[in-house]
C-alpha cells in the first residue's frame, strides 16, 4: 500500500489535503485521523472519502504545527497506525496560495468538502460578536445547524468546546457555553436542528476553534481567524455606535444648523405672539474668553426680544467687572446685577429671577453657548402652543472647540426625569408660573435646574421639547460636565430634588442614588398596602419552563398576587402533572382552560380569557418562558402602575446570557423594535438610557402590568387585527392616545428564554399572518410610521434600537 499526499488548500478556517491510497482500494476499510499540536493538545480533525482510493483530510488552521496521524480501522474496531506527517501553518498557507494562484482545479474541488455533505454533520456559523464594556469580554453567539433523516432522535444538545489558536482549551475569560435556543424542525424528507450558543471570550483572544461534539454523528469544527473576528467586532461596533460616540457628529451638526439665510428670514419674521425672554446667567470668576463666547451667542440671536441678566457674584474680579460693564454699555438688553458675595448658584440665580421682566425666564450657564436660532425656536413653539409653560431643547458638549456627545432628548418624559435630569438645558419657564413658587434654597446647588424643572412641570399646562441641538455645554476641568469632584454634591442635591417631587405628588417612594452611577436615581416604593396582582400566563406544554417561571414568582418580595395559568392545547402528561403540583405547592395558583378550536393560536384571546377569570385590580401579562431576577421587581412595577397618569409598565428582559432582550419598544418610521436588543446588560449605550426607568411608546406583552379598569375600558388586546403580533404595541398606543404614560422599569429584571433568532424562521402561513398584522398596525397608527416615535428623536437613525446618528435626514 502506498500513501500519496497531494493538493493542499485552505477555506473556512480549515486546511484541506487530498490523500491517495494506492494498493488497497475498497478493501482498505475505514480510515480515521487524529491531529495533535506540537504542545501535545488534541485538536479536531476529520477525513472524507471521495472515491475508491481518494480521501480528503481536514484539520483546523492554527498557529502551531500539527502532527496528523492516519489510522486504519477494521470491521471489529481495531485500529492500526498507517502514517503520520506534520502540517505547519506556514507550509499550508504557502501551498494553498500556490494552488490558488495556479487555479488548480483539483485543489479547488476539495475546498470546504466537509460542508458539501452535511448529513450527520453540523454547519457552524458566528451570528454576532457583542462588545461587553463591563467585564472586558466579548459575547459570541454561535449557531450550529445539523441535518438528519426524518424523526431523528437528536438527544442532548451537542457539546461545544473552544480552543485558542494554539489548540489549548479556552478557560481564562470564558464561562461555560449557554444554550440560547434549541429548535428541531421536521421538514418532510429531513430533520433540522438549530442550536444557538452564547460564550464569553476575552477581548485579547484573536482567533479560536469552535469544536462541536454531538452524542451521535461526527464532530464538526471551524476556526474563526483573526481577520474574521475583527470583522465581527467592527461590525458590532458600527452597528451599535450610538450618536454620542460618533466622531462624524461635528460634520453632521454643521450640515444641520441654521443657515445664514434662514437666520435672516427669522430676523425679519414677526410672530403673532412675541414672548419676551429673560436669560439669567450667574457669573462667578468666569474666564473672559468663556464670558465673551457666552454673551456673543446671546447677542447674536435671530429673535431680539430678550434681556440678558448677568448676576455677578465676584465683585472683586475687576477684569470681569470691566468686561461686563462694556457689554452693559454697548447693548441696552444686557443688565448687570452685582452681589456683595457669592451666595451659591441657586441663590445667585434667585436674584436674577427676581429682577427678570420677561414672559419666560431662561437659565444659561456662564461658560456655555447657544445657537443663534434658539430663542426664535422657543418663540415659534409658544406660537404653536400658547399654553406652553416649560421648554427645553437638545444639546451637545463643547470640548476644546469640538462639538461632541449630542443628546437628542425624548419628548416630555417625567419618569426619566425621576431617574436623571435629562432636561438640563436650555430650560425656559413661564414667569407667571414661577412667581407662584417659593424660590429654592442653596441646598439645591448643583441640581437647581433639576429642581426647577420638577417644580414648574408640576404646574405646567404644556411642556414643549424643541427637537434641535441648540445648546452647547462646555466641558472643562471646573465644569460639572467634566469634573469628577463635582459629582457627589450634585448627586445629593439631585436626590433632594427628586424626593421633593415625590413628596409633593404623594408618590410613596424614596429617591435613592443608584450604585455606580453619578446623578442617577431609583425609587424605592413604600406601599402602605399591596393590591392584588393577577399574573396571567398563557401555557402550552413546556412544563419545565413554566415550573421555573412560577416558582420564581414566589421568591418575589411582593406577596399579594395570584397566578392564572391559561391552558391552551397541551398534550404532554407532564404538563398536567405540573398544574396539580403548582396548585399544591403554592397559594393562589389556578388553571383555566381556553376552549381551543382546532390548531388555533390567538395570543390576544388567551390573554383576554385569562384576565376575565382573574380577580386583581392589577393585571400582569407574563410569558411562561420568563424567570424573575430582581426580587423587588413587582413592587417597582406596581408602585408606578398605581399612578393615575400611568397606563402600563414593562420590565427589563434579559436573554440567558445577560444580553438585553427588551428595554422598551421604539417605533421609528419602519416598525416597532426592542430598544437595546442584544446589548450587554448594564451597557452604557447612549448616556446609559437602557438602565434608566423612563416613559416609552410601548412595552412588550411578555411582561406587561396594567390596571384592570384600563384593560376593561380598552377591551383588552385586539383579538381580530392582532392575534399574535403587535397586540401589545397596539394596546400601549391606545393607552397613549388617552393620555397615559407607558413606563419601562429598568429596576425590574427578568430572564426571558425566548430564542434570539425568533422571527427569523417565519415562513408560509405564519409569515403571511405576521405581514397582515403589520399592515393592520400601519393602517391603525399611520402617524407613527410617518412622524416617528415621540420618545425617539428624528435625528436617531431608522433602526432606533441603538440610537445611532441619522445621516439620511
Amino acid at each position: 500500500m502506498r500513501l500519496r499526499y497531494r493538493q493542499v488548500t485552505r477555506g473556512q478556517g480549515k486546511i484541506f489535503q487530498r490523500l491517495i491510497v494506492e494498493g488497497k482500494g475498497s478493501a482498505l476499510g475505514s480510515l480515521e485521523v487524529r491531529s495533535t499540536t506540537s504542545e501535545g493538545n488534541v485538536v479536531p480533525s476529520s477525513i472524507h472519502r471521495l472515491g475508491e482510493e481518494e480521501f480528503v483530510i481536514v484539520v483546523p488552521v492554527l498557529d502551531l504545527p500539527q502532527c496528523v496521524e492516519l489510522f486504519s480501522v477494521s470491521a471489529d474496531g481495531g485500529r492500526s497506525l498507517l502514517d503520520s506527517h506534520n502540517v505547519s501553518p506556514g507550509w499550508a498557507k504557502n501551498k494553498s496560495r500556490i494552488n490558488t494562484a495556479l487555479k488548480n482545479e483539483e485543489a479547488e474541488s476539495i475546498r470546504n468538502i466537509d460542508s458539501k455533505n452535511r448529513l450527520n454533520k453540523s454547519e457552524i456559523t458566528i451570528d454576532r460578536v457583542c462588545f461587553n464594556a463591563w467585564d472586558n469580554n466579548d459575547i459570541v453567539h454561535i449557531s450550529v445547524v445539523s441535518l438528519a433523516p426524518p424523526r431523528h432522535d437528536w438527544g442532548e444538545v451537542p457539546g461545544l468546546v473552544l480552543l485558542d489558536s494554539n489548540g489549548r482549551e479556552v478557560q481564562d475569560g470564558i464561562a461555560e457555553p449557554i444554550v440560547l435556543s434549541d429548535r428541531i424542525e421536521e421538514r418532510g424528507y429531513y430533520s433540522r436542528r438549530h442550536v444557538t450558543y452564547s460564550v464569553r471570550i476575552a477581548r485579547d483572544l484573536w482567533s479560536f476553534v469552535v469544536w462541536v461534539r454531538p452524542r451521535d454523528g461526527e464532530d464538526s469544527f471551524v476556526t474563526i481567524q483573526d481577520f474574521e473576528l475583527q470583522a465581527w467586532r467592527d461590525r458590532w461596533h458600527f452597528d451599535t455606535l450610538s450618536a454620542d460616540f460618533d466622531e462624524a457628529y461635528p460634520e453632521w451638526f454643521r450640515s444641520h444648523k441654521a443657515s445664514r439665510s434662514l437666520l435672516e428670514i427669522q430676523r425679519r419674521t414677526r410672530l403673532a405672539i412675541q414672548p419676551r425672554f429673560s436669560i439669567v446667567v450667574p457669573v462667578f470668576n468666569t474666564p473672559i474668553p468663556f464670558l465673551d463666547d457666552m454673551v456673543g451667542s446671546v447677542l447674536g440671536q435671530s429673535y431680539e426680544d430678550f434681556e440678558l441678566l448677568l448676576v455677578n457674584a465676584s465683585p472683586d474680579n475687576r477684569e470681569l467687572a470691566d468686561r461686563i460693564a462694556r457689554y452693559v454699555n454697548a447693548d441696552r438688553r444686557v443688565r448687570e446685577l452685582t452681589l456683595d458675595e457669592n451666595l451659591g448658584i441657586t441663590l445667585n440665580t434667585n436674584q436674577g429671577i427676581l429682577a427678570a421682566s420677561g414672559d419666560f425666564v431662561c437659565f444659561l450657564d456662564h461658560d456655555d453657548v447657544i445657537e443663534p436660532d434658539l430663542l426664535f425656536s422657543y418663540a415659534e413653539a409658544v406660537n404653536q402652543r400658547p399654553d406652553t409653560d416649560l421648554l427645553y431643547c437638545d444639546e451637545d458638549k463643547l470640548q476644546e472647540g469640538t462639538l461632541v456627545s449630542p443628546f437628542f432628548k425624548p419628548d416630555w418624559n417625567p419618569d426619566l426625569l425621576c431617574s436623571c435630569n435629562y432636561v438640563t438645558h436650555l430650560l425656559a419657564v413661564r414667569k407667571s408660573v414661577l412667581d407662584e413658587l417659593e424660590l429654592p434654597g442653596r441646598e439645591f446647588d448643583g441640581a437647581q435646574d433639576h429642581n426647577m424643572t420638577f417644580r414648574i412641570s408640576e404646574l405646567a399646562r404644556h411642556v414643549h421639547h424643541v427637537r434641535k441641538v441648540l445648546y452647547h455645554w462646555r466641558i472643562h476641568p471646573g465644569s460639572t460636565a467634566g469634573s469628577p469632584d463635582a459629582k457627589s454634591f450634585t448627586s445629593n442635591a439631585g436626590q433632594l430634588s427628586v424626593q421633593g417631587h415625590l413628596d409633593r405628588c404623594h408618590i410613596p417612594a424614596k429617591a435613592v442614588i443608584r450604585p455606580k452611577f453619578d446623578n442617577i436615581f431609583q425609587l424605592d416604593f413604600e406601599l402602605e398596602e399591596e393590591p392584588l396582582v393577577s399574573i396571567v400566563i398563557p401555557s402550552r406544554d413546556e412544563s419545565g419552563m413554566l415550573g421555573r417561571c412560577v416558582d420564581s414568582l414566589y421568591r418575589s418580595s411582593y406577596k399579594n398576587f395570584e397566578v392564572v395559568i391559561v391552558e391552551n392545547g397541551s398534550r404532554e402528561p407532564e404538563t398536567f402533572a405540573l398544574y396539580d403540583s403548582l396548585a399544591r405547592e403554592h397559594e393562589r395558583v389556578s388553571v383555566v382552560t381556553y376552549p381551543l378550536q382546532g390548531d388555533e393560536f390567538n395570543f390576544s384571546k388567551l390573554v383576554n380569557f385569562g384576565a376575565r377569570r382573574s380577580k386583581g385590580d392589577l393585571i400582569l401579562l407574563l410569558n411562561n418562558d420568563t424567570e424573575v431576577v430582581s426580587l423587588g421587581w413587582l413592587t417597582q412595577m406596581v408602585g408606578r402602575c398605581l399612578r393615575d397618569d400611568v397606563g402600563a409598565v414593562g420590565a427589563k428582559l434579559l436573554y440567558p446570557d445577560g444580553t438585553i432582550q427588551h428595554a422598551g419598544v421604539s417605533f421609528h418610521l419602519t416598525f416597532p423594535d426592542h430598544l437595546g436588543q442584544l446589548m450587554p446588560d448594564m451597557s452604557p449605550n447612549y448616556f446609559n438610557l437602557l438602565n434608566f426607568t423612563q416613559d416609552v411608546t410601548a412595552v412588550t406583552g411578555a411582561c406587561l402590568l396594567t390596571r384592570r379598569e384600563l384593560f376593561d375600558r380598552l377591551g383588552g388586546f385586539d383579538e381580530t387585527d392582532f392575534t399574535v403580533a403587535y397586540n401589545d404595541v397596539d394596546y400601549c398606543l391606545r393607552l397613549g392616545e388617552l393620555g397615559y404614560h407607558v413606563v419601562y422599569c429598568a429596576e425590574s429584571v427578568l430572564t426571558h428564554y425566548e430564542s434570539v433568532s425568533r422571527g427569523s424562521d417565519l415562513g408560509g402561513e405564519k409569515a403571511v399572518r405576521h405581514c397582515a398584522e403589520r399592515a393592520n398596525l400601519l393602517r391603525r397608527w399611520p402617524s407613527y410610521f410617518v412622524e416617528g416615535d415621540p420618545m425617539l428623536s428624528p435625528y436617531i437613525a431608522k433602526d432606533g434600537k441603538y440610537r445611532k446618528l441619522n445621516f439620511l435626514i
Side-chain angles (χ1 to χ4, degrees):
M1 182 178 62
R2 182 183 176 192
L3 304 179
R4 289 194 298 139
Y5 296 99
R6 302 291 298 275
Q7 297 83 8
V8 174
T9 189
R10 302 198 314 175
Q12 295 183 349
K14 303 171 189 175
I15 299 169
F16 301 86
Q17 183 174 26
R18 187 187 296 269
L19 169 66
I20 307 296
V21 181
E22 298 176 339
K24 278 274 188 172
S26 58
L28 180 64
S30 63
L31 295 180
E32 286 185 359
V33 293
R34 179 176 183 265
S35 184
T36 309
T37 68
S38 56
E39 293 182 346
N41 298 310
V42 176
V43 296
S45 57
S46 62
I47 187 167
H48 302 267
R49 190 167 199 153
L50 296 182
E52 288 276 325
E53 297 180 339
E54 283 190 83
F55 300 83
V56 177
I57 295 172
V58 187
V59 295
V61 173
L62 299 175
D63 290 344
L64 291 180
Q66 304 173 58
C67 177
V68 180
E69 299 173 302
L70 182 66
F71 296 90
S72 174
V73 183
S74 62
D76 61 3
R79 300 168 77 247
S80 59
L81 179 66
L82 296 179
D83 185 46
S84 66
H85 68 287
N86 291 328
V87 175
S88 71
W91 171 82
K93 185 176 184 178
N94 290 333
K95 286 286 187 181
S96 179
R97 283 181 170 177
I98 292 171
N99 284 323
T100 300
L102 296 176
K103 299 183 179 180
N104 188 308
E105 294 183 0
E106 290 188 346
E108 181 62 29
S109 68
I110 65 172
R111 185 191 304 271
N112 303 325
I113 190 69
D114 55 341
S115 64
K116 295 175 182 177
N117 178 12
R118 287 181 51 208
L119 199 63
N120 292 324
K121 294 284 291 182
S122 298
E123 180 182 9
I124 305 167
T125 57
I126 299 295
D127 288 343
R128 62 189 59 84
V129 177
C130 310
F131 172 73
N132 190 343
W134 287 93
D135 58 10
N136 205 36
N137 288 343
D138 286 337
I139 300 171
V140 183
H141 289 174
I142 300 171
S143 281
V144 177
V145 179
S146 307
L147 303 180
R151 295 172 295 282
H152 179 72
D153 179 15
W154 287 101
E156 297 179 357
V157 173
L160 187 75
V161 177
L162 259 64
L163 308 176
D164 65 17
S165 58
N166 292 322
R168 309 184 193 104
E169 187 168 345
V170 176
Q171 293 177 340
D172 295 336
I174 183 171
E176 287 295 317
I178 295 172
V179 177
L180 293 181
S181 62
D182 179 14
R183 301 195 311 278
I184 298 173
E185 303 165 352
E186 295 295 335
R187 298 200 171 184
Y189 56 93
Y190 68 91
S191 181
R192 177 178 183 267
R193 185 178 201 173
H194 184 170
V195 182
T196 303
Y197 301 84
S198 175
V199 295
R200 291 178 182 262
I201 63 171
R203 190 69 44 73
D204 58 3
L205 185 65
W206 286 101
S207 178
F208 60 88
V209 179
V210 182
W211 188 359
V212 178
R213 314 188 72 174
R215 183 193 64 180
D216 299 319
E218 301 178 28
D219 290 3
S220 301
F221 62 93
V222 66
T223 302
I224 308 302
Q225 299 179 82
D226 53 358
F227 64 91
E228 296 175 286
L229 188 54
Q230 183 60 48
W232 276 106
R233 284 169 166 152
D234 289 345
R235 178 177 176 180
W236 177 255
H237 171 74
F238 288 111
D239 283 350
T240 63
L241 180 64
S242 55
D244 53 324
F245 286 108
D246 199 321
E247 294 181 355
Y249 171 69
E251 183 62 32
W252 182 94
F253 178 78
R254 279 191 289 272
S255 66
H256 286 78
K257 66 181 298 182
S259 64
R260 291 183 180 179
S261 59
L262 179 58
L263 292 173
E264 186 58 33
I265 291 172
Q266 291 175 358
R267 290 188 180 97
R268 297 177 181 181
T269 300
R270 185 167 183 84
L271 299 171
I273 302 173
Q274 298 189 72
R276 179 175 174 79
F277 295 95
S278 296
I279 304 173
V280 175
V281 182
V283 176
F284 179 71
N285 288 332
T286 308
I288 297 301
F290 292 175
L291 179 76
D292 290 343
D293 288 347
M294 181 272 295
V295 173
S297 72
V298 174
L299 297 182
Q301 291 295 299
S302 61
Y303 184 86
E304 298 181 345
D305 194 358
F306 66 84
E307 62 176 351
L308 175 61
L309 301 172
L310 302 177
V311 183
N312 185 7
S314 45
D316 296 333
N317 187 328
R318 294 311 311 164
E319 182 184 19
L320 180 62
D322 291 344
R323 184 58 61 96
I324 292 175
R326 284 175 53 186
Y327 284 121
V328 171
N329 294 330
D331 195 312
R332 59 180 178 77
R333 296 171 299 179
V334 181
R335 296 168 55 195
E336 180 185 17
L337 302 175
T338 303
L339 306 182
D340 294 334
E341 60 179 335
N342 179 23
L343 304 175
I345 189 168
T346 302
L347 296 183
N348 293 351
T349 300
N350 288 350
Q351 296 302 309
I353 293 172
L354 293 172
S357 62
D359 301 296
F360 286 85
V361 179
C362 308
F363 302 97
L364 174 61
D365 290 349
H366 65 162
D367 48 3
D368 298 340
V369 294
I370 58 178
E371 282 295 302
D373 57 330
L374 185 148
L375 292 184
F376 184 89
S377 299
Y378 278 27
E380 193 175 36
V382 173
N383 275 264
Q384 293 169 359
R385 284 289 302 265
D387 60 342
T388 297
D389 292 328
L390 186 152
L391 302 102
Y392 64 97
C393 63
D394 296 337
E395 64 186 82
D396 58 22
K397 293 185 174 65
L398 179 60
Q399 185 172 30
E400 297 179 352
T402 301
L403 298 178
V404 297
S405 299
F407 186 15
F408 302 109
K409 305 170 187 177
D411 287 350
W412 179 236
N413 199 316
D415 285 279
L416 181 57
L417 191 65
C418 286
S419 298
C420 65
N421 182 16
Y422 84 95
V423 169
T424 51
H425 307 112
L426 175 92
L427 179 63
V429 301
R430 191 176 289 275
K431 182 65 160 56
S432 60
V433 178
L434 188 53
D435 288 341
E436 298 178 25
L437 303 176
E438 179 182 349
L439 294 180
R442 66 174 62 201
E443 65 271 19
F444 293 103
D445 280 0
Q448 68 284 345
D449 49 356
H450 200 179
N451 174 65
M452 181 64 71
T453 304
F454 275 126
R455 296 298 305 272
I456 298 297
S457 67
E458 291 160 13
L459 302 173
R461 296 165 295 170
H462 176 68
V463 177
H464 189 90
H465 165 217
V466 177
R467 291 179 160 193
K468 298 178 187 177
V469 176
L470 299 173
Y471 193 100
H472 307 300
W473 187 3
R474 191 187 299 272
I475 298 177
H476 60 88
S479 70
T480 55
S483 174
D485 296 334
K487 300 300 182 182
S488 59
F489 85 88
T490 58
S491 288
N492 293 333
Q495 180 184 16
L496 185 64
S497 300
V498 177
Q499 189 62 56
H501 168 71
L502 299 175
D503 294 342
R504 290 188 299 271
C505 295
H506 307 291
I507 297 174
K510 295 294 184 185
V512 178
I513 299 173
R514 286 279 297 272
K516 301 180 181 179
F517 290 101
D518 292 312
N519 298 312
I520 305 304
F521 313 99
Q522 71 180 43
L523 308 186
D524 288 350
F525 286 88
E526 301 172 342
L527 304 176
E528 292 184 4
E529 59 180 49
E530 295 181 343
L532 178 64
V533 178
S534 295
I535 303 178
V536 177
I537 307 176
S539 172
R540 177 183 290 183
D541 289 321
E542 301 291 352
S543 57
M545 195 174 290
L546 176 65
R548 177 177 57 202
C549 171
V550 175
D551 287 343
S552 74
L553 296 176
Y554 285 86
R555 297 196 296 267
S556 305
S557 58
Y558 193 100
K559 302 302 181 184
N560 191 22
F561 61 86
E562 64 171 350
V563 178
V564 180
I565 300 171
V566 184
E567 159 55 30
N568 174 45
S570 297
R571 295 184 178 132
E572 299 171 359
E574 296 86 354
T575 301
F576 298 97
L578 174 67
Y579 293 159
D580 294 337
S581 173
L582 292 174
R584 287 195 307 270
E585 295 176 5
H586 300 299
E587 296 180 357
R588 300 185 300 279
V589 173
S590 62
V591 179
V592 297
T593 302
Y594 176 76
L596 188 66
Q597 298 178 359
D599 291 330
E600 171 194 26
F601 179 71
N602 188 317
F603 183 78
S604 295
K605 285 185 177 180
L606 296 177
V607 165
N608 294 344
F609 182 82
R612 287 193 296 268
R613 283 152 183 79
S614 65
K615 304 171 184 176
D617 293 331
L618 299 174
I619 299 171
L620 176 71
L621 311 180
L622 189 67
N623 279 14
N624 64 346
D625 57 350
T626 56
E627 182 178 7
V628 171
V629 174
S630 57
L631 300 186
W633 70 287
L634 193 50
T635 302
Q636 288 282 348
M637 295 179 72
V638 169
R640 290 175 169 84
C641 200
L642 290 177
R643 281 181 13 219
D644 292 338
D645 61 337
V646 171
V649 181
K652 175 187 272 191
L653 302 182
L654 305 177
Y655 288 117
D657 65 347
T659 55
I660 294 172
Q661 191 264 340
H662 169 270
V665 174
S666 67
F667 202 126
H668 205 269
L669 301 180
T670 52
F671 59 91
D673 210 348
H674 289 186
L675 288 163
Q677 190 174 34
L678 295 171
M679 295 293 289
D681 184 24
M682 305 306 292
S683 166
N685 179 263
Y686 203 63
F687 299 99
N688 283 307
L689 283 185
L690 297 173
N691 303 308
F692 301 163
T693 293
Q694 60 197 276
D695 300 318
V696 292
T697 296
V699 292
T700 177
C703 181
L704 186 154
L705 182 68
T706 188
R707 297 201 299 277
R708 178 178 297 278
E709 59 174 298
L710 293 176
F711 195 79
D712 291 344
R713 179 179 171 187
L714 295 177
F717 278 12
D718 188 318
E719 300 177 2
T720 303
D721 288 340
F722 306 104
T723 60
V724 177
Y726 304 125
N727 36 41
D728 44 8
V729 174
D730 172 71
Y731 180 77
C732 291
L733 293 181
R734 285 186 283 150
L735 287 170
E737 190 176 43
L738 295 175
Y740 292 99
H741 294 292
V742 175
V743 182
Y744 156 63
C745 184
E747 292 88 0
S748 298
V749 184
L750 294 86
T751 299
H752 192 190
Y753 292 90
E754 179 188 66
S755 169
V756 295
S757 57
R758 179 181 180 267
S760 62
D761 292 334
L762 285 178
E765 293 182 3
K766 290 183 179 179
V768 172
R769 184 210 67 229
H770 189 272
C771 185
E773 293 183 350
R774 181 175 172 182
N776 291 338
L777 196 71
L778 171 60
R779 186 192 74 251
R780 183 175 292 182
W781 304 102
S783 64
Y784 285 88
F785 287 89
V786 175
E787 299 171 7
D789 192 325
M791 296 302 168
L792 208 60
S793 169
Y795 298 124
I796 297 298
K798 274 191 173 183
D799 179 6
K801 62 185 176 183
Y802 300 124
R803 295 181 168 100
K804 294 169 59 65
L805 192 59
N806 188 357
F807 289 93
L808 302 178
I809 191 172

